[in-house]
Amino acid sequence: MFTLLLILIPVLTGVLTLSFGGRNARQLALLGAVAELAVALVVWMQFDPVGGQQFGFKYDWIKSAGITLGASIDGISMLLVLLTTFLTPLIVLSTFGHDYRNAPAFYSLILFMEAALVGVFTATDAFLFYLFFEAALIPVYFLSALWGGENRLKVTFKFFIYTIFGSLFMLVAFVYLYFQTPGTHTSEIAAFYNLQLDPAVQGWVFWGLFIAFAIKMPIFPFHTWQPDTYTESPTPATMLLAGIMLKMGVYGLIRLLLPIAPMALEDWGAVAIVLSVIGIVYGSIIAIKQRDMKRLVAYSSFAHVGLMSAGVFSTTLYGLQGALIQMLAHGINVVGMFFIIEIIFSRTKTRNLDHLGGITKNTPQLTVFFLILLLGSVALPLTNAFVGEFLLLAGVYQYNGWLGAIAGLTIILGAVYMLRLFQKSMFGPRGEVAERFADLTMSERAVLIPLVAMVFWIGIYPSTFLSITEPTVSQLLRFING
Amino acid sequence: MSASLLILIPLLPLIGFLINGIGFRRVPKGAVGVIGSLAALGSFAVSVAVLSAFKAAGSEPQVVSLFDWITVGNLNIPFSFQIDQLSLLMLMIVTGVGSLIHIYSIGYMKHDEGFGKFFAFLNLFLFFMLLLVMGSNYVIMFIGWEGVGLCSYLLIGFWNTNTNYNNAARKAFIMNRIGDLGFLLGIFTIIATFGSVEYTEVFSQATGLSIGDPVVVTITLLLFVGAMGKSAQIPLFTWLPDAMAGPTPVSALIHAATMVTAGIYMVIRSNVLYSLAPFTLEVISIVGIATVLLAASIGLLQNDIKKVLAYSTVSQLGYMFVALGVMAYSASMFHVITHAFFKALLFLGAGSVIHAMSDEQDIRSMGGLRKKLPITFLTFLIGTIAIAGIPPFAGFFSKDEILAHAYEHNKLLWALGVLGSLMTSFYMFRLLFLTFFGQFRGTHEQEHHLHESPAAMTIPLVILAIFSAVGGFMGVPEALGGTHQLAEFMSPLYEGARQVNPEAFAATTLSHSEEFMLMGISVAAALIAAIAAYVMYVSRNSVPAPDTAERSSLERLVYNKYYVDELYNGVFVKPIAGLSNLLYSFGEFFIDLIVLGTGRLVKGVSGQLRQTQTGSVGYYIFAMVVGIVAILFWNLLIR
């Protein structure tokens, strides 16, 4: 039942925020998000990694058709629920230095988004999964379209079309799978696992699901909506998109694509992994010369997610465990990076690297937080992303040595663009803007301290998180290979 | 030996880092230097205690586990330390030389506003370097490996308002990362082959392999790529001269005495694997000797006091790799140790000169400093004699041992090595004479300010000078009536390698008279070069030409460092930047065109329907999806 609670709390607090928020909308939203986190932590305390699906609920939705409203939590869901519930309050808190007009609507959308995300990560019924998958799109679409930058309408429209288009493929696949289930049919995901479709059919299912998830993450060449959307969206929406929403795609690959179409992997897995690796190099190279800080991080996120997807398609234990812990690490780092950029933007009114420089002089605190998050992003050992990248690259390398080496270019190229970002903004001769730059405020520190604490926790003692998912992942792999 | 004692070794510098780092700008200046130096000295003291406990306990290697770091499936990477002869030797160098350089920095960095930050970074560097040498597996080594790279980055770009310095820092980090990718792929191959990264496990399994096994060749080559980056070998050496942008104590500690020797440490640590891979060893000795000659020849014409020493460091590291390539592991370590003494000494001496010269680094503007800086001069002289390989100073013994092993392996390798030592002696005496002899050539103001450095700086110089003078006696060869204590101490490290490749560890075939001849030749070469430098720069009083002077084409080639930087710029940096712009402006556009073109079909169909709607397109699309879902469910329901 905890799962139901986790889905309902943000919905209810979202409604409350919208109806009664008024001037205190953000405080109310923060309260809701923190309550959600508290429940998630309680769930985590009681969670048993080897216990399979837990805390679930299941109601008949359309009884005669075997469609259920069901959700529960296993190891993989647990990690992503923690990611979502940890980041959402920080995203809310990150807006405290900024006045968004129509605040009740703004903050309630963030909470609705959280509910949909938790729904996606816990749904046990394919149609319910689809519903949440689409529902997650709506709040973030409005956030971007109503509170975004100059080109927001054009950009968000492209984003919307792209992702809707992708999910239609998934829906078609689901409907097909549904009709393949025996008896009166059922849309439970677990039932889809046992369909034993013939290989050619699995190929079709593979592509249907792949396109949906590939657009969401995104994987090359389905990514062109992403840099624009990340850049034009208001930063909290960018954080939701990059920090949590793209993980829906990776989650979908692991939860649905691998176990439903395992035989298709033999034919098409290589294509998927090559596309992912191309994305790593392609995104990294483009990031090198970006001037807009937000766009630079957008491309770097695109590159990083390529590595996660490559790890998933390696179908090795290293690759999957790496992808899972990297989802957590990437969420933390990318939210932190976008927040740092927002801090710089709010004080200088520019994100253009050519107009920045020398900020470090008056801002020891900002410099330290920025540096730590940056080191996390470039996967320095003892920071969070190292564990993920190490395992991911080990997985891809196990799949194919040359692909592993090419994917490994990320550690070189990542350093190239990230250090350029850092140098051009923080170092160098002090410009006029840097002269008046004030160091972090209390609420800014309140966002960054938990993020940085997690950078080190995951980096120094990753077992906490690896052990959540390992039993579920091992079982999944046994299923795929057996 | 208790685990808690061992943990103190890296923990003390970490605590020092946290105090000075978090308390930056709050800890009083006087306390900063004391805290930083005490952290280093404490770590040194514990290392000494651990060394004596190790010897007392019968010199048995010991692994101390702290906790399980990364565990996935059957792969377990513990956070644990290994104490044996090799890690202890490195501990002594890192904490010993490190402590001296901390003390020196109290004087050298006194007037810098980033004093606290500097000591925090130095302590952090020690922490990572200690992890590197103490780790009991390749991944812990990799933590240190990347961590020291970070500290190197932070310290090269220490004065971060200067864009050139920042670029140098970035270059160092990125070039190191190129090597690190090789290292990482090496680790993955080790995991795939042995299922473990623990040294004890990997090496005991490796003894079952045969010489020249392709897997071992792959592993050793990949790991060596990492060593090329960290230890500045061709082709990844160009970052080290640029790294001289950092404060001079950093050049001494990180870019001469410790971090750059990590590659040598790694190969000696992996000696079982390397002894199984003759091909890799051949590559190492070729890369090593090429680096010796390239860097030494560049050093001949440099006029920046730190640049000369930087190229000298690259070149001396080359010697260490030559030794590794001929499986003279102990000789290589011997040179690591003596080099740490005399190169730290030379850099700190250079720092003392720069300090006195009001930040001037061009030796063409110096001259005659021996009267004003007597202690610096004397110690620098000792360092110069030591590096030139003149007996009985430290460098003579270690370099001679390397050359003797090279001679046994391949006469050409030896001859090129002697050529390198000829050049070494020349550029070092050229540096010495131009700096300390003749007339002062700087400005009036500089001359007015000339002064010997404070005790905090000269005491470390004197201590290092003593070690540079007598340090060689730990490895006196049998031919000179010694027992080579160092080689004896290190001997247990090669147990596994001896087992797989016994020939490589056979006793020397050189007769004593041959050894005397080799020594004679290299000493003669060093002396001839020194005399030549004396004639040119003291007797004839000549001063190197200004940058604008006409040069012959060969001279221009060497003076401009063989245009290697320009080459890399043209072949890698610019094309990648161009590609970045190209992909961004055209690649993205074409992908859009293709992907959206495919989607246009769908849009065309929906376009007709759209006419019936007047609202926002976004709402419309949403309505469409909801509609589809509703229709679907409706159909399902009535079926």
Side-chain angles (χ1 to χ4, degrees):
Chain A
M1 288 310 287
F2 269 123
T3 313
L4 188 60
L5 199 60
L6 283 169
I7 296 173
L8 288 181
I9 290 174
V11 175
L12 292 177
T13 50
V15 171
L16 282 177
T17 306
L18 187 62
S19 328
F20 310 108
R23 208 171 284 170
N24 297 322
R26 59 187 182 199
Q27 283 84 351
L28 205 57
L30 182 63
L31 205 66
V34 170
E36 173 84 347
L37 174 61
V39 174
L41 291 177
V42 170
V43 170
W44 184 25
M45 292 291 113
Q46 301 181 14
F47 177 75
D48 174 12
V50 293
Q53 299 281 0
Q54 295 155 59
F55 314 108
F57 66 90
K58 189 160 122 183
Y59 304 108
D60 289 327
W61 185 3
I62 305 169
K63 195 172 183 186
S64 55
I67 298 173
T68 56
L69 282 175
S72 68
I73 293 176
D74 66 357
I76 297 172
S77 302
M78 187 70 243
L79 191 81
L80 287 154
V81 166
L82 285 176
L83 170 76
T84 309
T85 54
F86 172 71
L87 287 180
T88 308
L90 295 178
I91 292 173
V92 173
L93 192 60
S94 79
T95 63
F96 274 40
H98 190 294
D99 276 319
Y100 286 96
R101 66 195 153 73
N102 198 358
F106 184 86
Y107 289 103
S108 63
L109 284 171
I110 293 180
L111 289 169
F112 293 148
M113 175 86 183
E114 180 176 29
L117 289 163
V118 171
V120 168
F121 295 138
T122 56
T124 51
D125 183 285
F127 289 121
L128 187 64
F129 175 88
Y130 176 78
L131 194 79
F132 282 127
F133 199 81
E134 293 297 34
L137 181 60
I138 294 157
V140 80
Y141 168 75
F142 283 119
L143 285 173
S144 302
L146 298 177
W147 285 272
E150 277 167 36
N151 298 318
R152 61 182 186 271
L153 287 179
K154 192 177 140 218
V155 163
T156 44
F157 179 64
K158 185 173 171 186
F159 158 60
F160 202 82
I161 291 288
Y162 243 113
T163 50
I164 288 279
F165 180 77
S167 347
L168 284 175
F169 282 91
M170 177 169 71
L171 183 60
V172 171
F174 282 172
V175 171
Y176 175 82
L177 290 166
Y178 170 77
F179 285 119
Q180 300 306 308
T181 54
T184 53
H185 301 313
T186 168
S187 56
E188 281 193 56
I189 294 174
F192 288 181
Y193 287 7
N194 299 319
L195 287 177
Q196 315 241 318
L197 304 168
D198 76 67
V201 174
Q202 288 200 14
W204 288 105
V205 174
F206 177 94
W207 283 108
L209 296 177
F210 179 79
I211 289 178
F213 301 136
I215 288 177
K216 210 66 163 194
M217 291 197 270
I219 294 177
F220 181 90
F222 306 104
H223 65 278
T224 53
W225 62 268
Q226 185 255 33
D228 289 336
T229 309
Y230 281 19
T231 312
E232 291 294 332
S233 296
T235 298
T238 312
M239 290 171 173
L240 286 168
L241 281 165
I244 317 175
M245 191 164 152
L246 73 77
K247 275 76 185 184
M248 290 181 4
V250 186
Y251 176 81
L253 295 180
I254 298 173
R255 176 68 76 204
L256 295 161
L257 190 145
L258 293 188
I260 294 176
M263 287 158 99
L265 284 171
E266 281 167 33
D267 296 330
W268 302 113
V271 178
I273 205 168
V274 166
L275 285 177
S276 308
V277 171
I278 290 175
I280 299 172
V281 179
Y282 181 91
S284 300
I285 287 181
I286 290 186
I288 290 175
K289 292 299 279 183
Q290 292 308 309
R291 290 195 181 84
D292 184 323
M293 297 172 86
K294 230 171 157 183
R295 193 174 290 271
L296 192 157
V297 175
Y299 275 107
S300 97
S301 174
F302 165 46
H304 284 143
V305 81
L307 182 55
M308 290 178 222
S309 132
V312 170
F313 283 111
S314 76
T315 55
T316 57
L317 185 60
Y318 299 150
L320 279 163
Q321 280 288 77
L324 283 163
I325 199 155
Q326 186 69 349
M327 280 200 254
L328 192 59
H330 175 263
I332 288 158
N333 294 338
V334 84
V335 165
M337 287 301 269
F338 280 123
F339 186 48
I340 297 277
I341 293 169
E342 181 66 21
I343 290 171
I344 292 174
F345 179 74
S346 69
R347 292 182 179 40
T348 62
K349 302 296 168 224
T350 181
R351 295 191 306 255
N352 188 329
L353 287 173
D354 292 342
H355 300 156
L356 293 167
I359 293 173
T360 186
K361 192 75 188 170
N362 299 330
T363 58
Q365 295 179 22
L366 176 69
T367 310
V368 169
F369 285 113
F370 192 177
L371 185 66
I372 292 170
L373 289 163
L374 181 128
L375 294 174
S377 303
V378 301
L380 199 88
L382 298 187
T383 66
N384 54 2
F386 173 74
V387 182
E389 282 199 9
F390 181 83
L391 293 172
L392 284 165
L393 289 172
V396 179
Y397 187 81
Q398 203 175 26
Y399 179 86
N400 179 303
W402 291 106
L403 272 178
I406 297 169
L409 291 175
T410 183
I411 74 157
I412 301 169
L413 297 170
V416 174
Y417 58 72
M418 279 297 174
L419 292 184
R420 173 175 170 273
L421 170 72
F422 193 64
Q423 180 182 332
K424 292 205 102 184
S425 55
M426 303 306 283
F427 291 165
R430 220 180 333 170
E432 203 188 315
V433 282
E435 207 62 63
R436 291 177 273 110
F437 204 104
D439 211 346
L440 299 178
T441 66
M442 193 78 141
S443 76
E444 286 164 348
R445 279 197 298 270
V447 176
L448 289 169
I449 288 171
L451 289 174
V452 162
M454 286 299 284
V455 168
F456 288 122
W457 183 354
I458 302 172
I460 295 170
Y461 199 71
S463 302
T464 319
F465 303 96
L466 288 170
S467 63
I468 296 177
T469 53
E470 179 152 331
T472 315
V473 169
S474 309
Q475 199 193 352
L476 183 83
L477 279 173
R478 271 197 301 278
F479 178 78
I480 295 170
N481 299 326
Chain B
M1 164 187 356
S2 69
S4 55
L5 195 64
L6 211 53
I7 295 164
L8 275 182
I9 298 174
L11 195 62
L12 287 172
L14 183 66
I15 293 170
F17 159 71
L18 291 174
I19 295 173
N20 280 334
I22 295 172
F24 177 44
R25 292 183 191 178
R26 265 168 300 208
V27 180
K29 215 167 183 176
V32 166
V34 175
I35 293 167
S37 305
L38 276 182
L41 281 166
S43 190
F44 176 64
V46 179
S47 301
V48 173
V50 169
L51 175 63
S52 57
F54 175 79
K55 280 186 170 168
S59 302
E60 278 301 309
Q62 196 181 347
V63 175
V64 175
S65 261
L66 302 185
F67 59 92
D68 284 342
W69 182 35
I70 299 177
T71 307
V72 171
N74 298 324
L75 177 68
N76 178 28
I77 303 170
F79 205 105
S80 54
F81 296 142
Q82 176 167 334
I83 286 302
D84 62 6
Q85 290 82 356
L86 184 58
S87 49
L88 282 167
L89 283 173
M90 291 301 288
L91 279 183
M92 299 313 291
I93 301 172
V94 172
T95 58
V97 177
S99 298
L100 290 175
I101 290 171
H102 276 73
I103 294 166
Y104 177 94
S105 303
I106 296 177
Y108 190 83
M109 298 298 287
K110 200 172 177 182
H111 302 294
D112 198 286
E113 57 176 328
F115 192 71
K117 188 173 76 165
F118 183 80
F119 273 91
F121 288 168
L122 273 193
N123 274 186
L124 184 66
F125 167 77
L126 277 190
F127 166 71
F128 279 121
M129 191 69 206
L130 291 167
L131 283 192
L132 196 161
V133 299
M134 290 173 74
S136 76
N137 62 59
Y138 282 100
V139 187
I140 303 296
M141 193 202 287
F142 192 71
I143 299 179
W145 192 270
E146 287 249 292
V148 293
L150 166 70
C151 297
S152 165
Y153 166 79
L154 292 170
L155 285 162
I156 295 168
F158 183 74
W159 289 304
N160 58 42
T161 48
N162 183 321
T163 303
N164 287 336
Y165 293 1
N166 293 330
N167 289 342
R170 196 151 53 105
K171 180 177 177 182
F173 194 85
I174 290 164
M175 280 209 145
N176 269 290
R177 273 247 154 154
I178 296 172
D180 292 355
L181 176 57
F183 194 111
L184 208 50
L185 295 174
I187 294 178
F188 295 152
T189 320
I190 288 173
I191 293 175
T193 312
F194 303 107
S196 171
V197 287
E198 282 282 300
Y199 299 141
T200 46
E201 179 65 28
V202 170
F203 300 148
S204 76
Q205 282 191 40
T207 51
L209 298 173
S210 56
I211 292 182
D213 189 314
V215 168
V216 183
V217 175
T218 312
I219 292 172
T220 49
L221 279 176
L222 287 169
L223 291 178
F224 178 59
V225 172
M228 284 175 179
K230 195 81 14 190
S231 298
Q233 296 296 291
I234 293 174
L236 299 177
F237 69 99
T238 59
W239 66 269
L240 186 58
D242 287 14
M244 297 302 124
T248 306
V250 172
S251 311
L253 178 62
I254 301 184
H255 303 119
T258 55
M259 182 185 86
V260 290
T261 62
I264 292 110
Y265 164 79
M266 184 276 293
V267 175
I268 300 177
R269 176 55 82 201
S270 318
N271 67 76
V272 180
L273 301 177
Y274 279 89
S275 300
L276 280 165
F279 176 74
T280 311
L281 292 171
E282 210 60 33
V283 172
I284 293 178
S285 53
I286 291 168
V287 168
I289 196 70
T291 309
V292 167
L293 295 174
L294 184 95
S297 63
I298 295 174
L300 294 175
L301 294 183
Q302 292 298 303
N303 296 318
D304 179 316
I305 185 167
K306 285 181 73 181
K307 283 276 162 78
V308 176
L309 293 176
Y311 280 105
S312 159
T313 304
V314 175
S315 165
Q316 296 298 310
L317 291 166
Y319 277 113
M320 298 169 204
F321 280 102
V322 168
L324 296 175
V326 299
M327 288 193 273
Y329 302 116
S330 294
S332 189
M333 190 64 200
F334 190 14
H335 205 54
V336 167
I337 297 169
T338 59
H339 179 257
F341 295 146
F342 59 68
K343 192 52 67 68
L345 168 63
L346 289 167
F347 265 116
L348 295 186
S352 176
V353 168
I354 296 165
H355 195 68
M357 289 286 299
S358 320
D359 293 335
E360 177 65 72
Q361 301 195 13
D362 193 324
I363 48 177
R364 287 170 298 197
S365 309
M366 296 177 185
L369 297 183
R370 67 180 191 277
K371 289 159 228 150
K372 290 282 175 69
L373 307 175
I375 303 175
T376 306
F377 165 66
L378 266 177
T379 52
F380 202 91
L381 176 68
I382 291 169
T384 305
I385 297 174
I387 191 177
I390 295 168
F393 289 55
F396 164 75
F397 293 100
S398 55
K399 193 186 287 179
D400 205 71
E401 193 180 335
I402 293 174
L403 289 176
H405 281 284
Y407 182 83
E408 262 188 288
H409 186 78
N410 181 328
K411 307 272 185 299
L412 177 65
L413 194 63
W414 168 81
L416 294 173
V418 172
L419 178 64
S421 82
L422 187 85
M423 290 195 273
T424 307
S425 174
F426 183 83
Y427 66 66
M428 279 313 303
F429 278 101
R430 169 180 177 268
L431 183 68
L432 179 84
F433 294 142
L434 283 170
T435 309
F436 292 102
F437 288 73
Q439 291 302 310
F440 186 72
R441 296 180 295 271
T443 62
H444 234 47
E445 212 173 315
Q446 285 171 331
E447 188 166 18
H448 188 71
H449 281 134
L450 281 180
H451 58 277
E452 183 56 282
S453 299
M457 289 167 69
T458 50
I459 291 170
L461 286 179
V462 172
I463 295 173
L464 285 169
I466 293 168
F467 279 105
S468 301
V470 303
F473 292 111
M474 71 175 84
V476 178
E478 211 189 316
L480 294 177
T483 53
H484 209 309
Q485 290 160 299
L486 181 71
E488 218 165 274
F489 179 67
M490 292 182 72
S491 174
L493 292 168
Y494 316 124
E495 210 100 325
R498 253 193 295 270
Q499 213 176 315
V500 296
N501 194 349
E503 286 166 47
F505 292 89
T508 174
T509 52
L510 291 180
S511 66
H512 283 189
S513 57
E514 267 177 307
E515 281 193 51
F516 288 136
M517 178 198 71
L518 295 179
M519 283 177 207
I521 292 173
S522 56
V523 172
L527 287 174
I528 289 167
I531 291 165
Y534 185 83
V535 171
M536 270 184 87
Y537 299 106
V538 181
S539 308
R540 294 200 197 148
N541 239 334
S542 70
V543 177
D547 294 340
T548 48
E550 285 277 318
R551 288 186 163 81
S552 70
S553 53
L554 177 69
E555 220 182 331
R556 206 161 51 228
L557 182 70
V558 177
Y559 190 70
N560 288 302
K561 304 147 196 161
Y562 299 97
Y563 297 101
V564 178
D565 275 319
E566 287 77 3
L567 181 78
Y568 289 171
N569 227 8
V571 176
F572 298 108
V573 180
K574 281 195 183 144
I576 289 177
L579 185 64
S580 175
N581 287 326
L582 190 77
L583 290 180
Y584 182 57
S585 41
F586 292 107
E588 292 286 85
F589 174 73
F590 280 117
I591 289 169
D592 237 6
L593 212 63
I594 293 163
V595 177
L596 290 184
T598 322
R600 197 144 294 164
L601 284 168
V602 182
K603 207 181 163 192
V605 175
S606 65
Q608 294 180 337
L609 290 167
R610 194 190 297 166
Q611 289 163 0
T612 61
Q613 271 278 3
T614 50
S616 134
V617 179
Y619 287 103
Y620 162 67
I621 295 284
F622 175 57
M624 187 180 88
V625 172
V626 172
I628 290 172
V629 176
I631 291 165
L632 191 86
F633 282 127
W634 180 250
N635 285 342
L636 295 174
L637 251 174
I638 58 169
R639 269 175 60 95

